[in-house]
């Protein structure tokens, strides 16, 4: 279930942090608008790894050289 809480609930941060699970982030709002996301560190690591992979793919696409072996080497090095 989606967890959306006002940032003011951080006054009792342990209560908010207890709700953060690997597949269940907590979104914090400020003045009724989404402002922050609290996520599990494992999920953050997965996200950053995926983002690095996407950036490598974009860089390879911009190079206009689509040599599969070179792209594979860059992705997995």
């Amino acid at each position: 279930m989606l967890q959306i809480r006002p940032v003011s609930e951080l006054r009792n941060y342990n209560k908010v942090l207890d709700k953060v699970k690997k597949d269940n982030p907590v979104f914090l709002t400020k003045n009724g608008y989404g402002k922050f996301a609290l996520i599990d560190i494992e999920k953050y690591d997965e996200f950053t790894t995926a983002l690095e992979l996407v950036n490598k793919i974009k860089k390879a696409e911009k190079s206009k050289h689509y040599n599969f072996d070179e792209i594979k080497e860059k992705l997995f090095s």
Side-chain angles (χ1 to χ4, degrees):
M1 177 156 65
L2 196 59
Q3 296 284 331
I4 301 173
R5 301 283 184 242
V7 74
S8 61
E9 282 195 19
L10 285 178
R11 289 184 190 121
N12 187 1
Y13 62 89
N14 283 326
K15 184 178 176 183
V16 175
L17 293 178
D18 286 342
K19 295 178 186 205
V20 177
K21 305 291 182 224
K22 183 174 182 196
D23 293 318
N24 191 27
V26 174
F27 299 98
L28 300 176
T29 62
K30 188 172 182 180
N31 298 324
Y33 296 96
K35 187 70 176 173
F36 304 103
L38 300 174
I39 61 172
D40 180 83
I41 195 73
E42 285 182 44
K43 207 60 163 172
Y44 175 78
D45 286 341
E46 290 174 13
F47 173 76
T48 55
T49 300
L51 189 58
E52 288 174 10
L53 182 60
V54 168
N55 287 333
K56 287 181 180 182
I57 291 170
K58 285 182 178 182
K59 186 176 179 181
E61 287 177 342
K62 286 181 181 178
S63 74
K64 306 275 186 193
H65 299 127
Y66 294 101
N67 182 322
F68 178 76
D69 291 327
E70 289 177 17
I71 293 172
K72 187 171 84 172
E73 182 180 329
K74 287 181 181 181
L75 289 175
F76 297 104
S77 61

